Amino acid sequence: MKFDVVIIGGGLAGLTCGISLQRKGRRCAIVSAGQSALHFSSGYFDFLDRTADGKAVENPLDAVSALPEGHPYRKIGVEDLERYMGEVKPLFAGCGIELKGDWSRNCYRITPVGGVCPSWLCLGEFTPFTTAQAEVGRNVMVVNIPGYMDFNARFVAAGLEKRGAACRIVDVTVDELSGLRANPSEMRSSNIARLMDSGHVAVRFAEAVRMKLSGEDAVVLPAVFGLKDSSVPQKVAEIIGVRTEYVATMTPSVPGIRTQMRLRAAFERLGGTYILGDTVMPSEIRDGRVVCLSTVNFGNEKLYADAFVLAAGSFFSNGLAASRECVTEPVFGLDVHAADDRSKWGDMDFFKRQEYIGFGVKSDADFHAVKDGVSVSNLYVAGSVAGGYNPIAEGSGAGTAIMSAMSVAEHIISKIG
Amino acid sequence: MDNREFDVIVIGGGITGAGTARDCAMRGLKVLLVERMDIATGATGRNHGLLHSGARYAVTDMESAEECIRENMILRKIARHCVEETDGFFITLPEDDLGYQATFAAACNAAGIKAEIIDPGLARRIEPSVNPDLIGAVRVPDGAVDPFRLCAANVMDAKLHGAKVLVYSVVTRIMKEGDTVKGIEVLDTRSGQKSEYYAPITVNAGGIWGNAIAEMAGAHINMFPAKGSLLIFEHRVNNVVINRCRKPANADILVPGDTVSVLGTTSTKIPFEECDGVRVTADEVDLLISEGEKLAPALADTRILRAYAGVRPLVATDDDPSGRSISRGIVLLDHESRDGIRGFVSITGGKLMTYRLMGEWTADLVCKKLGVSQACRTAEVPLPGSEPVSMEKEPKKKIFAKAETGRHGGLASRIRHENELQNSLVCECENVTVGEIEYAEDNLDVNNLVDLRRRTRFGMGVCQGELCACRAAGLLKKAHRCSDEAMDDLKAFIEERWKGLYPVNWGAAMRENEYTQWVYSGMCGFGEYDTEPTE
């Protein structure tokens, strides 16, 4: 099979790159092994939350110049970054994904445990809070769905109270959920959302919430609405009748799964080929180029392309692999940024910066992957498989994925036409 | 007597203290058991969980071997729910001296340990994971024992016999009048309150920390902390305990226990200052794996769940002031005859296997001093939960019923499953329900998530508590009182989990760790990344 571009990895980076290329008329295939990091999303996209010394960033673009050389943002440069940032909301809107927030400024988000963190843009049901107070209301009713343990109403309420709100935690459920509760492991966000998607259940739930209101000016709900139908969160809010805030749950993330599904659908609508549940086999680089890929399912039927993009994610997604001795990139054996000494891979304190999170493939200024010290002319890296930055420490996971993917798409277009 | 006066105070909530407290309580004494942290947090909870047959000691220490096999047979009767009768092999590999096998088997049989030399081919058929190159195998009655469960059962039975148990209570002072120990001053580390308790006899069962307790009373015991590191593998690689048939060395025992296999140990003398918070080093991990794969080659490719280390309390014999001669067996010190300190006894040395006998000797001495003439019954009376359970009585066949019975034996029937919430699974790896967590918190002295893990196996599966920790944090009673405390507890649990994962952070474990980082440091914004409101 012959494509213009074959992309390894169907997460935020791979899909953004594929959509950008398809929109310019390039024929792409994406090979995806399955879940992506979007499945444990906070519902917010980070761009650059913190400086190296841990201070919250207000204007992300201003903080880019202080990043180390080799950081994906430094490779792209402020000028192009600014252009891409402005394009993100329209790009996602074209895929049926509403993003809120001012792309030139960071916002704040409420965490699943009630804290407040800086962030950048957010999905439609959330609020891009402009201050760290993240004020929801004076008197807030926090909804607990009995038996659903991946949203802790008590933690969320305690956080709101610290920031000055008066909170009341109220149990709300509907009969339809008892089917889930009969099986002890089924009370998951995605299963609840699937039920809520059949409109009348969400309506009944929202009415039950409204019935329990006793003068509160705001309601907080777990973000378990709108797996396929993104209008559900808004409908629920309208029935409740007072300000309704959705707070992200522990994984899996309903808004994240929905986003991933919509990006994939948009890619396919644009003519892209999404190959799901397949894994790329170790492949050869010959004369500084990738000629083709083999996958587990296609066997001898090879995937040929002019350019290839490695957007396979980090360790969790098997884009990188670590043995007791070393860190490797399993498909091409590319050069990686990683400490040789295993004892330097992490910090003994879990909540300190972990170096291994920043490990990844080496790439040149145009995101060409590097093997044995030499750039591979038609292989690019995008997203967290790339090294040179620590997305958790700096809070830049979604931003680096989207920006590097957009940049790679432009490089490919300018190079292969 | 008021509630501060007891017949005997036992310091140390490890297996020795728990066994001693149970024995004393069963003889009708009014007992106070004091533990500075949770029960089973020292060496008790940080070993192989091997139900030694005694074979390991047969050649070098006949007395220990005989004690082991006697206690082994007793535990099979009194602690049925803590014991798995797996049998064990002592294998000879090509690089070992096959001649040792006959000496070994003869010594075992002389000690009363049934040791049978079997054909290596038969050994491979019985235990397919064993190194196929083996040239000799001896079958012995080794087994597996869950030390957390055993310790908890002893504490529970002590309480059923009237003992008072204080956890998270540090002994800050031993009160003396002249040469006589009168009692202890205790600091409750949760409330910050100090209290005094009195008894005519105080027993020091503090393991390696017993060294400092003895010093507080004015006595000196020549102890040496020896660190031993172990690895837990993600599934049961073997069903029969595998040992090397040679003089005891590093990483020569592989024990199956519940859903996992445990490999160990190393042995390194460490300074006393390092006894708290010992960590497993990269070199120890490498040594354990390279030696362990000689027992069972599959270990080379099996995911390691976590690494941990314990500190053995080695005791020098009293007659050797140089401290080079280590007592192998049980060391019971009557400080009255030894040091002229009345009302103070230390029990140390020994092993997990001989805890009951250590308790018996200590209770004998305590009773003698108090003029009580009650006989020991701990070898006959089963521990709570040990009674046989028929699974057929459970017609509902809920997926968690079997797991609960495995963990709590006959006491599992006390776990309430009266509504859907109590049936909800919190930990999906180990099938721990809301009902079981409520039971543990109400009946088993659970103060935090790490305690809960020791009582229920919650968070012990492949995901190591990644998501269930947050669920359980919201369920414990403290979450209802103070969510800050519950959040700190959650963070402490994640740190404790990381302590075991950090030394084995590669492969599948690293994938899991990265995911956990995204969830807790990223999504939840814990730790370094907490951003306080700036306004």
Side-chain angles (χ1 to χ4, degrees):
Chain A
M1 278 181 293
K2 171 73 174 72
F3 298 91
D4 294 333
V5 183
V6 170
I7 298 165
I8 305 169
L12 188 54
L15 281 163
T16 302
C17 189
I19 289 165
S20 304
L21 287 165
Q22 284 291 149
R23 282 173 54 161
K24 300 274 182 186
R26 305 309 184 279
R27 288 183 61 249
C28 300
I30 290 178
V31 185
S32 167
Q35 285 197 351
S36 84
L38 280 167
H39 290 233
F40 46 97
S41 163
S42 65
Y44 287 68
F45 288 173
D46 293 328
F47 186 92
L48 184 60
D49 295 342
R50 281 171 296 269
T51 58
D53 54 2
K55 292 213 174 70
V57 168
E58 277 185 28
N59 300 305
L61 213 45
D62 296 348
V64 166
S65 60
L67 292 171
E69 241 176 275
H71 190 289
Y73 291 160
R74 291 289 302 275
K75 289 184 185 181
I76 297 167
V78 172
E79 203 175 302
D80 282 347
L81 270 181
E82 189 166 7
R83 182 161 55 84
Y84 297 152
M85 287 166 95
E87 287 172 12
V88 169
K89 281 166 82 168
L91 179 78
F92 278 72
C95 304
I97 299 160
E98 184 195 0
L99 288 178
K100 298 201 296 206
D102 174 353
W103 63 263
S104 67
R105 285 185 58 84
N106 270 344
C107 71
Y108 290 90
R109 65 181 171 96
I110 298 177
T111 72
V113 287
V116 173
C117 280
S119 197
W120 183 47
L121 302 176
C122 64
L123 295 169
E125 63 261 65
F126 297 102
T127 300
F129 294 99
T130 50
T131 71
Q133 276 303 112
E135 203 182 335
V136 166
R138 281 175 184 284
N139 289 295
V140 184
M141 178 170 125
V142 182
V143 173
N144 176 53
I145 304 175
Y148 173 57
M149 287 179 275
D150 293 328
F151 174 78
N152 193 310
R154 213 165 265 118
F155 290 169
V156 172
L160 294 172
E161 281 178 344
K162 265 190 202 162
R163 298 187 293 275
C167 290
R168 188 167 67 97
I169 298 166
V170 174
D171 286 350
V172 179
T173 190
V174 287
D175 292 345
E176 283 83 353
L177 289 178
S178 66
L180 295 181
R181 296 184 56 182
N183 183 337
S185 57
E186 291 296 294
M187 205 66 174
R188 291 291 193 85
S189 56
S190 45
N191 291 340
I192 296 173
R194 210 162 280 131
L195 273 178
M196 295 290 186
D197 265 3
S198 55
H200 70 282
V201 182
V203 169
R204 277 167 49 91
F205 187 89
E207 282 167 351
V209 172
R210 191 185 57 201
M211 299 281 285
K212 300 246 168 133
L213 278 172
S214 137
E216 282 92 354
D217 58 354
V219 166
V220 166
L221 283 176
V224 294
F225 300 85
L227 189 64
K228 287 203 171 115
D229 179 355
S230 61
S231 70
V232 176
Q234 182 57 34
K235 266 187 225 154
V236 167
E238 279 162 16
I239 295 170
I240 291 172
V242 297
R243 179 175 175 182
T244 300
E245 283 294 335
Y246 292 91
V247 170
T249 67
M250 297 300 275
T251 68
S253 158
V254 170
I257 296 172
R258 182 183 69 231
T259 302
Q260 209 268 345
M261 290 194 299
R262 295 219 161 169
L263 288 173
R264 178 189 163 183
F267 172 70
E268 289 179 317
R269 225 172 20 246
L270 288 163
T273 304
Y274 195 87
I275 302 165
L276 180 64
D278 205 351
T279 305
V280 175
M281 311 275 282
S283 299
E284 226 186 337
I285 290 170
R286 209 177 295 164
D287 303 327
R289 287 178 61 80
V290 178
V291 176
C292 62
L293 299 177
S294 328
T295 73
V296 172
N297 293 349
F298 282 103
N300 288 332
E301 179 73 40
K302 299 202 186 316
L303 304 180
Y304 290 87
D306 298 326
F308 295 83
V309 180
L310 182 66
S314 186
F315 298 99
F316 177 71
S317 309
N318 292 321
L320 299 171
S323 69
R324 194 147 51 100
E325 291 80 28
C326 59
V327 174
T328 52
E329 184 285 305
V331 176
F332 302 103
L334 299 170
D335 295 357
V336 291
H337 288 283
D340 290 333
D341 179 357
R342 192 171 90 221
S343 65
K344 302 216 163 63
W345 290 359
D347 191 289
M348 278 196 255
D349 182 343
F350 179 88
F351 295 110
K352 290 228 166 96
R353 179 191 175 95
Q354 299 292 333
E355 290 306 323
Y356 73 94
I357 301 290
F359 291 172
V361 171
K362 288 185 182 168
S363 60
D364 68 13
D366 297 341
F367 292 104
H368 291 105
V370 173
K371 183 169 164 96
D372 303 328
V374 181
S375 294
V376 184
S377 63
N378 68 339
L379 176 61
Y380 298 84
V381 292
S384 60
V385 73
Y389 69 107
N390 189 314
I392 294 182
E394 64 192 31
S396 67
T400 45
I402 296 169
M403 295 296 120
S404 61
M406 291 171 94
S407 174
V408 164
E410 277 197 355
H411 282 300
I412 289 174
I413 287 163
S414 70
K415 190 151 176 185
I416 67 169
Chain B
M1 284 197 287
D2 76 13
N3 57 8
R4 304 217 170 269
E5 291 192 14
F6 295 84
D7 295 326
V8 58
I9 294 169
V10 180
I11 303 171
I15 192 67
T16 309
T20 303
R22 177 190 187 224
D23 198 329
C24 289
M26 282 173 70
R27 298 195 206 200
L29 302 184
K30 193 180 175 199
V31 179
L32 174 69
L33 178 67
V34 182
E35 161 58 42
R36 64 183 194 131
M37 306 228 274
D38 182 30
I39 63 165
T41 42
T44 299
R46 298 175 170 276
N47 56 68
H48 277 104
L50 172 60
L51 186 80
H52 272 290
S53 58
R56 188 176 172 80
Y57 311 110
V59 174
T60 52
D61 182 359
M62 181 65 79
E63 194 185 330
S64 287
E66 287 169 345
E67 281 168 4
C68 263
I69 189 64
R70 272 200 308 272
E71 292 300 315
N72 177 308
M73 293 300 152
I74 290 169
L75 286 178
R76 287 169 197 248
K77 284 187 305 186
I78 65 159
R80 213 186 299 248
H81 66 311
C82 306
V83 165
E84 256 190 276
E85 302 185 342
T86 63
D87 275 354
F89 288 155
F90 277 76
I91 61 165
T92 305
L93 295 177
E95 66 254 48
D96 302 332
D97 169 19
L98 188 59
Y100 184 72
Q101 183 173 275
T103 316
F104 170 78
C108 285
N109 287 312
I113 303 159
K114 190 175 163 246
E116 184 192 355
I117 295 176
I118 63 170
D119 177 61
L122 177 62
R124 280 202 299 269
R125 284 197 293 283
I126 296 172
E127 180 45 70
S129 75
V130 75
N131 188 337
D133 299 334
L134 82 172
I135 54 170
V138 183
R139 177 154 63 184
V140 298
D142 280 346
V145 58
D146 185 320
F148 299 117
R149 210 174 288 164
L150 186 64
C151 191
N154 274 278
V155 169
M156 177 179 272
D157 208 28
K159 281 163 73 177
L160 290 172
H161 286 88
K164 181 181 171 79
V165 177
L166 300 175
V167 288
Y168 295 97
S169 296
V170 180
V171 175
T172 42
R173 194 157 58 90
I174 291 190
M175 295 176 297
K176 284 166 80 174
E177 255 177 48
D179 292 334
T180 305
V181 170
K182 290 290 182 187
I184 59 174
E185 180 190 68
V186 167
L187 169 71
D188 182 327
T189 54
R190 293 160 302 178
S191 66
Q193 259 188 340
K194 279 190 175 177
S195 313
E196 293 180 354
Y197 297 93
Y198 305 91
I201 314 274
T202 295
V203 174
N204 168 18
I208 193 63
W209 297 274
N211 191 70
I213 293 165
E215 302 282 345
M216 258 194 261
H220 179 73
I221 311 174
N222 219 349
M223 285 176 117
F224 300 95
K227 172 188 171 195
S229 296
L230 303 100
L231 301 176
I232 308 181
F233 290 83
E234 74 159 350
H235 61 260
R236 274 175 85 105
V237 174
N238 53 325
N239 278 312
V240 174
V241 176
I242 307 175
N243 307 263
R244 278 289 274 285
C245 193
R246 61 174 188 194
K247 278 179 70 185
N250 282 326
D252 59 355
I253 310 179
L254 182 68
V255 184
D258 267 308
T259 52
V260 299
S261 286
V262 179
L263 172 70
T265 69
T266 59
S267 186
T268 324
K269 280 194 180 174
I270 57 166
F272 275 100
E273 309 84 78
E274 289 175 19
C275 289
D276 283 313
V278 280
R279 284 177 173 272
V280 180
T281 65
D283 288 345
E284 287 168 333
V285 171
D286 291 342
L287 174 71
L288 284 165
I289 295 174
S290 65
E291 285 298 311
E293 58 189 45
K294 294 179 192 163
L295 297 174
L299 294 183
D301 308 311
T302 304
R303 172 171 169 188
I304 300 169
L305 272 190
R306 58 189 283 121
Y308 62 101
V311 183
R312 294 184 202 97
L314 299 182
V315 189
T317 48
D318 272 351
D319 51 17
D320 177 14
S322 78
R324 288 209 186 85
S325 167
I326 301 294
S327 300
R328 294 187 172 274
I330 301 168
V331 179
L332 174 63
L333 302 175
D334 180 349
H335 292 286
E336 183 175 352
S337 54
R338 183 180 181 264
D339 310 296
I341 302 165
R342 273 182 290 211
F344 190 61
V345 171
S346 288
I347 176 73
T348 184
K351 342 176 150 51
L352 172 66
M353 279 307 293
T354 54
Y355 88 91
R356 194 210 58 83
L357 188 62
M358 295 165 81
E360 179 177 340
W361 288 10
T362 311
D364 282 349
L365 180 62
V366 169
C367 284
K368 193 175 125 202
K369 287 180 176 291
L370 292 173
V372 173
S373 57
Q374 288 285 330
C376 174
R377 296 188 294 136
T378 56
E380 291 86 40
V381 181
L383 286 158
S386 179
E387 53 283 340
V389 183
S390 156
M391 285 299 293
E392 280 115 61
K393 276 195 294 188
E394 191 72 48
K396 284 169 284 176
K397 271 212 219 134
K398 293 277 189 199
I399 48 170
F400 46 76
K402 196 174 168 210
E404 286 176 353
T405 305
R407 289 192 280 267
H408 303 284
L411 296 172
S413 61
R414 295 198 200 169
I415 299 173
R416 285 165 46 197
H417 288 295
E418 290 158 7
N419 54 47
E420 281 164 352
L421 182 61
Q422 285 172 333
N423 288 348
S424 299
L425 282 184
V426 178
C427 168
E428 292 167 43
C429 298
E430 299 283 344
N431 288 330
V432 182
T433 60
V434 172
E436 186 175 351
I437 289 177
E438 287 172 357
Y439 166 77
E441 199 177 15
D442 290 342
N443 299 282
L444 304 176
D445 303 294
V446 168
N447 283 278
N448 56 48
L449 293 171
V450 182
D451 295 1
L452 183 67
R453 188 179 67 185
R454 280 186 283 265
R455 301 300 189 286
T456 65
R457 293 190 64 80
F458 133 84
M460 282 197 184
V462 279
C463 89
Q464 289 283 295
E466 195 162 68
L467 296 173
C468 60
C470 193
R471 295 177 184 164
L475 287 170
L476 290 188
K477 289 195 178 98
K478 69 168 69 169
H480 300 232
R481 291 194 305 265
C482 174
S483 67
D484 273 355
E485 237 182 78
M487 209 90 82
D488 288 344
D489 189 15
L490 177 58
K491 290 179 197 168
F493 179 89
I494 293 166
E495 280 291 9
E496 171 65 24
R497 173 184 182 276
W498 177 237
K499 191 179 163 194
L501 284 165
Y502 169 79
V504 295
N505 187 28
W506 68 82
M510 186 189 260
R511 295 183 58 208
E512 199 87 50
N513 293 335
E514 188 190 36
Y515 178 69
T516 312
Q517 277 291 339
W518 275 108
V519 170
Y520 288 102
S521 299
M523 213 168 76
C524 294
F526 275 160
E528 279 272 276
Y529 314 124
D530 281 348
T531 309
E532 294 300 322
T534 44
E535 266 85 341

